[in-house]
């Protein structure tokens, strides 16, 4: 499927989605919000995809909501304004709960919605020279549509409030220091660093990856006894859905001392089949 505002590439276990309005610094207009919903549908329907990388074309990740098309133009028509922005809120929520691992590969500018997407992804790698910002205060509102949530759930209180209240920008390096991104690297190394991270994830069992995310999200809202009860139930779900791969394959390989789980991952039957096929 082709999109007016996005580029989607699916290559085996990896999908790469690029915001693609470089002439507007990849600002998210209503068409992009619709396209994001369609693209997420398509990616979710791909049975082999385990990782989604989100990035931007040109010199920007995303300058956030398109201030003209999303706010100025529809504002006089409350219904239109509501519908326009509801589409955005839909895919933001969906991204947060997406059943495969999501990685933000952040380049250039990441303001407002771009900052939010970084926070909503599971993992994020940024170029050191990225300019992140919650510029909302600079045009008279506060970060809405989940942006405040994304900041409070990724950064310590003082830093979060500093950027919410001042509209100051922060670099990729500062974002790493405050926990908004996992790592900041020189811009020329950004793709290679993300490729490395993708490489670590795609050799894991996809059901385990999905359930690990569910257990993380689910248990953040529970006390310890409930969390243990919940993760035990999820462990049985995992066992059933993976035909006990952790016992039958992973721990059998450990028993034979063919790998050290502390330092590496087991060889999945799927990977062994691939090796056999290519031999
Ligand atoms: N909404 C709509 N258009 C935007 C935009 C946004 N969020 N961000 C950038 N653009 C447009 C600019 O208006 C300009 O369009 P034009 O060529 O038709 O005049 C084009 O993208 C290029 O932007 P420009 O400002 O010339 O580039 P720059 O490199 O000098 O500055 C930014 C880039 C991101 C610092 C600046 O564009 C900016 O402040 N954008 C707004 C960011 C923001 O507040 N986002 C929060 C939204 S919730």
């Amino acid at each position: 499927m082709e999109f007016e505002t996005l580029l989607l590439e699916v290559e085996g276990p990896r999908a790469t989605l690029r915001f693609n309005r470089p002439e507007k610094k990849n600002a998210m207009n209503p068409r992009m919000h619709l396209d994001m919903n369609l693209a997420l549908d398509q990616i979710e329907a791909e049975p082999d995809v385990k990782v989604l990388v989100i990035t931007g074309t040109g010199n920007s990740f995303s300058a956030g909501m398109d201030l003209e098309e999303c706010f100025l133009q529809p504002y006089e028509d409350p219904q239109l304004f509501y519908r326009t922005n509801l589409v955005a809120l839909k895919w933001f929520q969906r991204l947060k709960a997406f059943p495969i691992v999501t990685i933000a590969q952040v380049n250039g500018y990441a303001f407002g919605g771009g900052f939010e997407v970084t926070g909503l992804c599971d993992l994020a790698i940024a170029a050191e020279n990225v300019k992140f910002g919650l510029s909302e205060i600079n045009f008279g509102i506060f970060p809405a549509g989940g942006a405040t949530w994304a900041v409070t759930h990724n950064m310590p209180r003082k830093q979060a409030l500093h950027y919410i209240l001042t509209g100051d920008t922060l670099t990729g390096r500062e974002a790493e220091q405050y926990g908004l991104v996992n790592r900041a690297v020189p811009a020329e190394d950004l793709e290679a660093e993300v490729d490395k991270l993708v490489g670590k994830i795609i050799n894991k069992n996809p059901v385990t990856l999905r359930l690990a995310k569910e257990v993380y999200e689910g248990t953040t809202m529970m006390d310890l006894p409930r969390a243990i009860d919940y993760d035990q139930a999820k462990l049985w779900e995992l066992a059933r859905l993976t035909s006990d791969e952790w016992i039958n394959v992973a721990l059998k390989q450990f028993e034979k001392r063919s790998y050290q789980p502390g330092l590496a991952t087991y060889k999945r039957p799927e990977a062994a089949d691939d090796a056999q096929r290519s031999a």
Side-chain angles (χ1 to χ4, degrees):
M1 193 186 287
E2 301 254 307
F3 303 98
E4 197 180 308
T5 62
L6 303 171
L7 294 175
L8 173 62
E9 204 180 309
V10 177
E11 259 188 314
R14 171 183 176 151
T16 306
L17 193 49
R18 292 171 203 277
F19 299 126
N20 189 33
R21 297 182 73 215
E23 72 292 352
K24 292 284 179 185
K25 306 292 170 197
N26 297 324
M28 301 167 182
N29 66 351
R31 183 67 252 171
M32 188 184 285
H33 293 310
L34 291 166
D35 285 349
M36 276 305 294
N37 275 296
L38 296 170
L40 292 179
D41 280 344
Q42 190 177 331
I43 295 162
E44 201 172 341
E46 295 279 349
D48 297 332
V49 173
K50 295 181 183 174
V51 184
L52 166 62
V53 175
I54 300 184
T55 190
T57 58
N59 68 351
S60 189
F61 181 68
S62 172
M65 299 297 259
D66 188 307
L67 298 173
E68 286 169 356
E69 291 189 46
C70 290
F71 298 154
L72 274 174
Q73 289 165 15
Y75 196 70
E76 292 305 318
D77 180 344
Q79 290 298 330
L80 179 63
F81 184 81
Y82 177 73
R83 278 200 312 276
T84 303
N85 290 294
L86 193 66
V87 180
L89 307 187
K90 212 168 123 193
W91 78 258
F92 287 159
Q93 290 179 52
R94 202 159 160 211
L95 178 63
K96 166 72 174 29
F98 210 54
I100 62 170
V101 177
T102 54
I103 302 176
Q105 175 181 312
V106 192
N107 54 311
Y109 295 114
F111 286 101
F115 192 120
E116 177 170 350
V117 168
T118 306
L120 297 179
C121 282
D122 302 321
L123 303 166
I125 310 275
E128 285 169 346
N129 61 357
V130 164
K131 266 203 168 92
F132 283 103
L134 293 163
S135 52
E136 286 85 341
I137 200 86
N138 292 339
F139 57 92
I141 65 166
F142 51 83
T148 293
W149 187 97
V151 191
T152 57
H153 285 75
N154 285 276
M155 284 166 67
R157 180 167 182 267
K158 288 288 186 289
Q159 277 79 15
L161 280 168
H162 177 88
Y163 293 106
I164 289 170
L165 297 176
T166 63
D168 279 355
T169 58
L170 61 154
T171 61
R173 187 52 75 212
E174 286 161 326
E176 175 191 60
Q177 198 184 327
Y178 304 142
L180 176 64
V181 302
N182 297 88
R183 284 202 68 191
V185 295
E188 61 273 21
D189 298 338
L190 181 62
E191 274 188 29
E193 196 64 29
V194 170
D195 290 350
K196 224 187 316 170
L197 184 58
V198 168
K200 288 182 188 174
I201 288 164
I202 58 176
N203 61 9
K204 314 286 190 227
N205 185 306
V207 176
T208 312
L209 290 170
R210 176 169 61 77
L211 292 179
K213 280 182 64 165
E214 285 180 20
V215 168
Y216 174 82
E217 299 294 348
T219 56
T220 54
M221 291 176 279
M222 293 174 191
D223 57 24
L224 183 59
R226 253 176 259 269
I228 291 173
D229 202 34
Y230 175 77
D231 67 37
Q232 288 305 293
K234 284 284 180 194
L235 208 49
W236 287 110
E237 181 182 340
L238 170 82
R240 172 96 170 124
L241 292 175
T242 60
S243 308
D244 288 306
E245 188 172 296
W246 74 288
I247 292 283
N248 292 336
V249 180
L251 292 189
K252 287 285 186 296
Q253 289 175 16
F254 172 65
E255 203 176 23
K256 292 186 188 131
R257 300 292 181 265
S258 70
Y259 78 119
Q260 292 176 298
L263 301 176
T265 197
Y266 66 101
K267 197 178 264 260
R268 299 205 53 231
E270 176 190 280
D273 288 351
D274 288 349
Q276 238 169 19
R277 268 198 300 275
S278 63

